[in-house]
Amino acid sequence: MSSNSGKTHGDDAAQLAEQEALVIVSLTEQGSLTLTLNRPARFNALSQAMLNALQTALDQIDERVRVVVIAANGPAFCAGHDLVEMRSHADDEDWQRGLFQQCSRVMQTLVCLPQPVIARVQGVAAAAGCQLVATCDLAVAADHAQFGVSGINLGLFCSTPSVALSRNLSRKRAFQLLMSGDFISAQTAVDWGLLNDCVPAEALDAAIEQWCDTICGKSSVAVSTGKRLFYEQLERPLAQAYELASDAMACNMMAEDVVEGIDAFFEKRPPGWKHR
C-alpha cells in the first residue's frame, strides 16, 4: 500500500508539473496577473492538459489580482483545440462532450472573474483560440495577427466559439466568420468589434501595460461591480436590465471608495482608494 501510494503521489506531482509548464503564471506587485499559454510547438492548442492547467490557474486567483492578462508564447496565440488529440477519440462521443464542456467551463470562468481579463494576441487565433479572444473582456493584438473559426472547412461547425463570437460581433459578421472559415486581419477584427485595438508587434507590451495601469488605478469595488453588472444585464429585457443596474448603482454608492472618489473630485486631488 505504501509503495502504491508513493507511486500515485509521484504521478500527481508529475502531472502538476506538466500543467504548470503549460501555463506560466506571473504576478506583478501592482496586481497584474499574466497567464501565458506555453505550448508553442503545438501552437498553444487547447488540449485537455492545457485546459486543465488554465482552469487550475484561474481557480487560484485571489484578491491580490487586479487584472488578468491571457498571453501566449510562440508564433501563434492559440490554434484552437488539439486536432490530433480530438482525432484519437473520434469514436468516443462522451470524451468529445467532456472536452467541450471543459473548455466551456474555462470560458465561463473568465467571464465570472471579478477582475477584467485582457487578451494579449501576438499571433494567429483560430477556432477555440478565437473564442478565447472573444471571451476576454478586452483584447489587443499585434497588427499582423489573424483571426478565424475554420472548423467548417473540416466539416465541423464551431458551435462553442459561436457563443462568444455572437456576443461580440454583429450577427451577420459572426455568421460570416463561422460559415466561411476565412481569416480576418487584426485591423478588420478591430472594425468588427472583436478587438479593442491592434498595434505594431513591438508596441504590444506597452499597450497591454497601459490597460493594466488604467485598471489597477481604479477602485476594485467599482471594477468588480461594473464587470458583474455588465454581463448580467446584457441578456435581460430592457426593464430588467435597468432594475439590475439601479440596484447595482445603489449598492455601489454605499462603498467608502465612492465617498472618497466624490470628495477627491470636489477637492481637485487624486483619490486615495480604500480598495485597490
Side-chain angles (χ1 to χ4, degrees):
M1 180 178 294
S2 176
S3 175
N4 289 339
S5 297
K7 183 177 184 299
T8 300
H9 177 74
D11 290 345
D12 289 345
Q15 184 178 14
L16 180 60
E18 179 185 0
Q19 288 183 358
E20 289 176 343
L22 289 173
V23 176
I24 299 173
V25 180
S26 175
L27 178 64
T28 69
E29 291 185 5
Q30 183 187 36
S32 298
L33 177 72
T34 300
L35 304 180
T36 303
L37 307 183
N38 188 40
R39 201 184 177 207
R42 296 290 299 167
F43 303 105
N44 298 309
L46 297 178
S47 61
Q48 275 193 329
M50 176 71 90
L51 288 168
N52 281 335
L54 189 53
Q55 185 68 59
T56 297
L58 293 173
D59 289 343
Q60 292 176 347
I61 290 175
D62 57 29
E63 66 279 355
R64 295 175 299 165
V65 176
R66 300 295 312 282
V67 59
V68 179
V69 177
I70 305 295
N73 283 331
F77 176 73
C78 179
H81 287 293
D82 189 327
L83 293 178
V84 174
E85 184 180 64
M86 292 170 68
R87 181 65 182 83
S88 69
H89 296 273
D91 298 327
D92 189 342
E93 185 175 344
D94 287 340
W95 186 93
Q96 301 289 345
R97 182 173 286 106
L99 174 69
F100 295 119
Q101 289 175 344
Q102 181 184 24
C103 184
S104 296
R105 182 188 170 204
V106 168
M107 302 298 168
Q108 291 176 80
T109 300
L110 291 170
V111 174
C112 292
L113 284 176
Q115 299 89 348
V117 182
I118 307 170
R120 177 196 180 278
V121 188
Q122 90 295 1
V124 67
C130 192
Q131 176 187 3
L132 181 57
V133 175
T135 300
C136 292
D137 306 303
L138 299 163
V140 181
D143 54 12
H144 65 265
Q146 293 186 309
F147 303 83
V149 278
S150 53
I152 198 162
N153 297 333
L154 309 176
L156 178 68
F157 183 77
C158 287
S159 299
T160 44
S162 77
V163 175
L165 287 172
S166 64
R167 284 162 169 75
N168 279 253
L169 282 60
S170 70
R171 290 186 181 185
K172 285 184 170 55
R173 291 301 194 192
F175 203 70
Q176 177 179 339
L177 273 182
L178 292 158
M179 277 293 162
S180 69
D182 293 339
F183 280 77
I184 59 173
S185 69
Q187 185 56 62
T188 299
V190 173
D191 294 341
W192 288 11
L194 181 61
L195 296 176
N196 294 91
D197 198 8
C198 66
V199 298
E202 61 271 18
L204 184 56
D205 284 334
I208 295 297
E209 184 177 358
Q210 184 175 6
W211 266 114
C212 290
D213 289 345
T214 296
I215 292 168
C216 289
K218 310 300 183 188
S219 162
S220 62
V221 172
V223 170
S224 60
T225 296
K227 178 172 176 177
R228 182 174 61 251
L229 181 277
F230 182 80
Y231 288 108
E232 284 182 350
Q233 63 84 24
L234 272 178
E235 306 302 322
R236 303 296 182 93
L238 186 64
Q240 290 182 19
Y242 270 115
E243 183 176 0
L244 281 172
S246 297
D247 287 344
M249 287 205 76
C251 291
N252 196 176
M253 278 296 300
M254 300 300 102
E256 54 186 343
D257 269 358
V258 177
V259 175
E260 167 60 17
I262 293 174
D263 287 350
F265 174 78
F266 285 122
E267 295 167 12
K268 302 186 186 317
R269 59 172 175 81
W273 303 123
K274 310 297 182 185
H275 300 278
R276 295 191 66 85

